[in-house]
mmCIF file of all heavy atoms in Angstrom:
data_model
loop_
_atom_site.group_PDB
_atom_site.id
_atom_site.type_symbol
_atom_site.label_atom_id
_atom_site.label_comp_id
_atom_site.label_asym_id
_atom_site.label_seq_id
_atom_site.Cartn_x
_atom_site.Cartn_y
_atom_site.Cartn_z
ATOM 1 N N ALA A 210 -7.350 -5.527 2.761
ATOM 2 C CA ALA A 210 -8.742 -5.344 2.266
ATOM 3 C C ALA A 210 -8.907 -6.132 0.939
ATOM 4 O O ALA A 210 -9.969 -6.703 0.694
ATOM 5 C CB ALA A 210 -9.011 -3.884 1.992
ATOM 6 N N HIS A 211 -7.918 -6.185 0.152
ATOM 7 C CA HIS A 211 -7.999 -6.910 -1.155
ATOM 8 C C HIS A 211 -7.783 -8.417 -0.996
ATOM 9 O O HIS A 211 -7.982 -9.183 -1.952
ATOM 10 C CB HIS A 211 -6.960 -6.402 -2.138
ATOM 11 C CG HIS A 211 -7.230 -5.007 -2.679
ATOM 12 N ND1 HIS A 211 -8.461 -4.667 -3.179
ATOM 13 C CD2 HIS A 211 -6.484 -3.891 -2.793
ATOM 14 C CE1 HIS A 211 -8.472 -3.458 -3.602
ATOM 15 N NE2 HIS A 211 -7.284 -2.900 -3.336
ATOM 16 N N LEU A 212 -7.363 -8.865 0.191
ATOM 17 C CA LEU A 212 -7.056 -10.253 0.421
ATOM 18 C C LEU A 212 -8.232 -11.196 0.158
ATOM 19 O O LEU A 212 -8.075 -12.192 -0.534
ATOM 20 C CB LEU A 212 -6.517 -10.429 1.858
ATOM 21 C CG LEU A 212 -6.260 -11.926 2.240
ATOM 22 C CD1 LEU A 212 -5.250 -12.539 1.335
ATOM 23 C CD2 LEU A 212 -5.792 -11.962 3.719
ATOM 24 N N PRO A 213 -9.467 -10.918 0.684
ATOM 25 C CA PRO A 213 -10.539 -11.786 0.372
ATOM 26 C C PRO A 213 -10.827 -11.987 -1.100
ATOM 27 O O PRO A 213 -11.056 -13.046 -1.601
ATOM 28 C CB PRO A 213 -11.751 -11.161 1.067
ATOM 29 C CG PRO A 213 -11.143 -10.269 2.167
ATOM 30 C CD PRO A 213 -9.823 -9.781 1.581
ATOM 31 N N GLY A 214 -10.763 -10.879 -1.848
ATOM 32 C CA GLY A 214 -10.990 -10.911 -3.299
ATOM 33 C C GLY A 214 -9.943 -11.736 -4.032
ATOM 34 O O GLY A 214 -10.235 -12.579 -4.892
ATOM 35 N N LYS A 215 -8.643 -11.523 -3.634
ATOM 36 C CA LYS A 215 -7.583 -12.247 -4.308
ATOM 37 C C LYS A 215 -7.668 -13.750 -3.980
ATOM 38 O O LYS A 215 -7.535 -14.620 -4.862
ATOM 39 C CB LYS A 215 -6.223 -11.750 -3.896
ATOM 40 C CG LYS A 215 -5.072 -12.356 -4.644
ATOM 41 C CD LYS A 215 -3.771 -11.762 -4.295
ATOM 42 C CE LYS A 215 -2.643 -12.255 -5.284
ATOM 43 N NZ LYS A 215 -2.563 -13.770 -5.342
ATOM 44 N N ALA A 216 -7.915 -14.027 -2.707
ATOM 45 C CA ALA A 216 -8.051 -15.468 -2.323
ATOM 46 C C ALA A 216 -9.180 -16.088 -3.034
ATOM 47 O O ALA A 216 -9.122 -17.279 -3.531
ATOM 48 C CB ALA A 216 -8.226 -15.555 -0.817
ATOM 49 N N LEU A 217 -10.331 -15.384 -3.123
ATOM 50 C CA LEU A 217 -11.488 -15.914 -3.840
ATOM 51 C C LEU A 217 -11.183 -16.170 -5.339
ATOM 52 O O LEU A 217 -11.567 -17.241 -5.898
ATOM 53 C CB LEU A 217 -12.645 -14.955 -3.684
ATOM 54 C CG LEU A 217 -13.930 -15.330 -4.473
ATOM 55 C CD1 LEU A 217 -14.482 -16.693 -4.018
ATOM 56 C CD2 LEU A 217 -14.999 -14.249 -4.249
ATOM 57 N N ASP A 218 -10.521 -15.217 -5.944
ATOM 58 C CA ASP A 218 -10.158 -15.389 -7.352
ATOM 59 C C ASP A 218 -9.254 -16.607 -7.558
ATOM 60 O O ASP A 218 -9.438 -17.372 -8.512
ATOM 61 C CB ASP A 218 -9.520 -14.134 -7.887
ATOM 62 C CG ASP A 218 -10.492 -12.960 -7.925
ATOM 63 O OD1 ASP A 218 -11.684 -13.183 -7.877
ATOM 64 O OD2 ASP A 218 -9.988 -11.808 -7.954
ATOM 65 N N ASP A 219 -8.246 -16.757 -6.709
ATOM 66 C CA ASP A 219 -7.335 -17.876 -6.858
ATOM 67 C C ASP A 219 -8.035 -19.229 -6.613
ATOM 68 O O ASP A 219 -7.790 -20.193 -7.334
ATOM 69 C CB ASP A 219 -6.169 -17.688 -5.874
ATOM 70 C CG ASP A 219 -5.219 -16.554 -6.237
ATOM 71 O OD1 ASP A 219 -5.377 -16.078 -7.385
ATOM 72 O OD2 ASP A 219 -4.389 -16.129 -5.422
ATOM 73 N N LEU A 220 -8.850 -19.306 -5.582
ATOM 74 C CA LEU A 220 -9.598 -20.498 -5.311
ATOM 75 C C LEU A 220 -10.601 -20.873 -6.414
ATOM 76 O O LEU A 220 -10.709 -22.016 -6.797
ATOM 77 C CB LEU A 220 -10.292 -20.424 -3.929
ATOM 78 C CG LEU A 220 -9.424 -20.366 -2.729
ATOM 79 C CD1 LEU A 220 -10.247 -20.155 -1.459
ATOM 80 C CD2 LEU A 220 -8.604 -21.705 -2.569
ATOM 81 N N GLN A 221 -11.294 -19.837 -6.911
ATOM 82 C CA GLN A 221 -12.232 -20.070 -7.991
ATOM 83 C C GLN A 221 -11.560 -20.576 -9.218
ATOM 84 O O GLN A 221 -12.032 -21.497 -9.912
ATOM 85 C CB GLN A 221 -13.002 -18.825 -8.300
ATOM 86 C CG GLN A 221 -14.134 -18.493 -7.324
ATOM 87 C CD GLN A 221 -14.876 -17.206 -7.654
ATOM 88 O OE1 GLN A 221 -14.295 -16.256 -8.260
ATOM 89 N NE2 GLN A 221 -16.176 -17.202 -7.331
ATOM 90 N N LYS A 222 -10.363 -19.970 -9.506
ATOM 91 C CA LYS A 222 -9.639 -20.390 -10.696
ATOM 92 C C LYS A 222 -9.226 -21.862 -10.559
ATOM 93 O O LYS A 222 -9.284 -22.580 -11.584
ATOM 94 C CB LYS A 222 -8.390 -19.533 -10.849
ATOM 95 C CG LYS A 222 -7.576 -19.827 -12.126
ATOM 96 C CD LYS A 222 -6.385 -18.864 -12.205
ATOM 97 C CE LYS A 222 -5.563 -19.205 -13.437
ATOM 98 N NZ LYS A 222 -4.358 -18.305 -13.523
ATOM 99 N N LEU A 223 -8.804 -22.233 -9.409
ATOM 100 C CA LEU A 223 -8.391 -23.576 -9.201
ATOM 101 C C LEU A 223 -9.577 -24.558 -9.257
ATOM 102 O O LEU A 223 -9.517 -25.632 -9.873
ATOM 103 C CB LEU A 223 -7.657 -23.774 -7.859
ATOM 104 C CG LEU A 223 -7.234 -25.194 -7.479
ATOM 105 C CD1 LEU A 223 -6.192 -25.719 -8.503
ATOM 106 C CD2 LEU A 223 -6.588 -25.213 -6.090
ATOM 107 N N MET A 224 -10.655 -24.193 -8.619
ATOM 108 C CA MET A 224 -11.795 -25.048 -8.557
ATOM 109 C C MET A 224 -12.498 -25.180 -9.877
ATOM 110 O O MET A 224 -13.209 -26.163 -10.194
ATOM 111 C CB MET A 224 -12.784 -24.571 -7.531
ATOM 112 C CG MET A 224 -12.202 -24.561 -6.100
ATOM 113 S SD MET A 224 -11.494 -26.115 -5.587
ATOM 114 C CE MET A 224 -12.917 -27.028 -5.142
ATOM 115 N N ASP A 225 -12.359 -24.111 -10.743
ATOM 116 C CA ASP A 225 -12.959 -24.212 -12.106
ATOM 117 C C ASP A 225 -12.049 -24.815 -13.083
ATOM 118 O O ASP A 225 -12.437 -25.059 -14.239
ATOM 119 C CB ASP A 225 -13.332 -22.778 -12.556
ATOM 120 C CG ASP A 225 -14.417 -22.136 -11.746
ATOM 121 O OD1 ASP A 225 -15.164 -22.920 -11.103
ATOM 122 O OD2 ASP A 225 -14.554 -20.890 -11.728
ATOM 123 N N ASP A 226 -10.800 -25.141 -12.717
ATOM 124 C CA ASP A 226 -9.835 -25.716 -13.655
ATOM 125 C C ASP A 226 -10.223 -27.160 -13.933
ATOM 126 O O ASP A 226 -10.458 -27.920 -13.026
ATOM 127 C CB ASP A 226 -8.445 -25.642 -13.057
ATOM 128 C CG ASP A 226 -7.388 -26.042 -14.053
ATOM 129 O OD1 ASP A 226 -7.719 -26.248 -15.209
ATOM 130 O OD2 ASP A 226 -6.196 -26.135 -13.679
#
Side-chain angles (χ1 to χ4, degrees):
H211 288 312
L212 176 59
K215 187 177 188 305
L217 175 59
D218 293 340
D219 290 346
L220 291 174
Q221 282 181 328
K222 182 179 179 180
L223 178 61
M224 300 306 282
D225 293 340
D226 188 8

